[in-house]
């Protein structure tokens, strides 16, 4: 077994997972993940023995952005108002929605609805377990930007779940 196979192949599921979240569908994710693996193989000589998972995911991310420029119009960033920018300490809020108890499909829809820069940091942190530092290096942004994007993404998810609960309870009230 080659060093490439030992270091990179165990992380193919993570590579596909990130590509799936970023592209939004299986077909495009397969294309992005495959292209990323080809790039990883081609440039494996530049790998310095650090975290192979983070290295491969960085290649997936870069491959996705190259693919995005060729295949999709740029996403329109929605301006954030002061309420959306407010960072709440979710650990002490008794009304906070527990994401781990939320319906998987609802969570997936909510994450998929985030702007790509928020979606990628949520997936890298919460799904792939990368550190803030690894995400910052991968995205070529300061750690503070990673923290800010995570806070904003979490806030948007929290607002989405709260809205769905309010909608669901108003439907139940009408049905009763």
């Amino acid at each position: 077994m080659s060093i490439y196979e030992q270091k990179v192949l165990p992380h193919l599921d993570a590579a596909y997972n990130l590509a799936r979240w970023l592209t939004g569908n299986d077909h495009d994710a397969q294309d992005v993940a495959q292209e990323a693996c080809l790039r990883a193989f081609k440039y494996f000589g530049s790998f310095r023995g650090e975290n192979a998972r983070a290295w491969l995911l960085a290649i997936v991310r870069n491959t996705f952005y190259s693919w995005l420029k060729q295949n999709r119009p740029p996403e329109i960033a929605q301006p954030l108002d002061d309420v959306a920018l407010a960072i709440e300490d979710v650990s002490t809020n008794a009304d906070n929605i527990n994401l781990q108890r939320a319906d998987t499909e609802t969570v997936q829809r909510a994450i998929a609805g985030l702007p790509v820069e928020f979606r990628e940091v949520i997936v890298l942190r919460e799904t792939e377990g990368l550190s803030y530092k690894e995400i910052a290096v991968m995205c070529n942004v300061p750690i503070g930007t990673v923290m800010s994007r995570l806070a904003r993404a979490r806030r948007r998810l929290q607002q989405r779940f709260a809205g769905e609960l309010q909608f669901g309870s108003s439907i139940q009230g009408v049905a009763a």
Side-chain angles (χ1 to χ4, degrees):
M1 184 179 280
S2 73
I3 295 174
Y4 174 82
E5 292 171 324
Q6 291 173 353
K7 296 284 187 179
V8 176
L9 293 186
H11 307 295
L12 291 181
D13 287 343
Y16 173 78
N17 185 47
L18 178 59
R20 175 68 177 87
W21 278 111
L22 293 175
T23 62
N25 68 66
D26 290 327
H27 182 267
D28 293 337
Q30 290 172 2
D31 289 347
V32 168
Q34 182 178 15
E35 177 64 24
C37 288
L38 289 172
R39 289 180 184 186
F41 183 76
K42 182 177 180 179
Y43 296 105
F44 189 68
S46 69
F47 177 66
R48 299 290 173 234
E50 61 276 359
N51 184 342
R53 179 185 178 117
W55 181 76
L56 179 60
L57 293 178
I59 294 172
V60 170
R61 180 185 179 275
N62 292 337
T63 302
F64 164 72
Y65 280 107
S66 296
W67 174 88
L68 189 64
K69 286 178 187 174
Q70 294 174 348
N71 295 288
R72 301 277 162 83
E75 288 188 42
I76 298 172
Q78 298 174 353
L80 299 175
D81 57 19
D82 290 338
V83 174
L85 293 176
I87 298 174
E88 182 176 329
D89 181 6
V90 295
S91 64
T92 60
N93 184 348
D95 296 327
N96 180 33
I97 308 304
N98 184 344
L99 291 179
Q100 294 178 351
R101 292 186 181 172
D103 174 84
T104 301
E105 187 177 308
T106 302
V107 172
Q108 290 175 343
R109 275 194 319 267
I111 293 172
L114 292 172
V116 71
E117 67 271 8
F118 293 166
R119 191 169 60 232
E120 73 181 351
V121 294
I122 279 285
V123 170
L124 291 170
R125 178 70 181 155
E126 304 300 339
T127 304
E128 299 304 330
L130 296 181
S131 70
Y132 291 165
K133 182 178 179 181
E134 289 170 325
I135 297 169
V137 169
M138 182 182 301
C139 296
N140 197 30
V141 296
I143 288 178
T145 301
V146 171
M147 294 169 69
S148 174
R149 286 179 182 175
L150 276 169
R152 290 175 181 175
R154 289 174 178 151
R155 179 71 180 150
R156 284 187 176 199
L157 290 173
Q158 183 182 37
Q159 289 171 340
R160 170 116 186 227
F161 292 131
E164 286 189 16
L165 279 181
Q166 289 173 354
F167 179 72
S169 63
S170 66
I171 290 175
Q172 290 173 356
V174 169

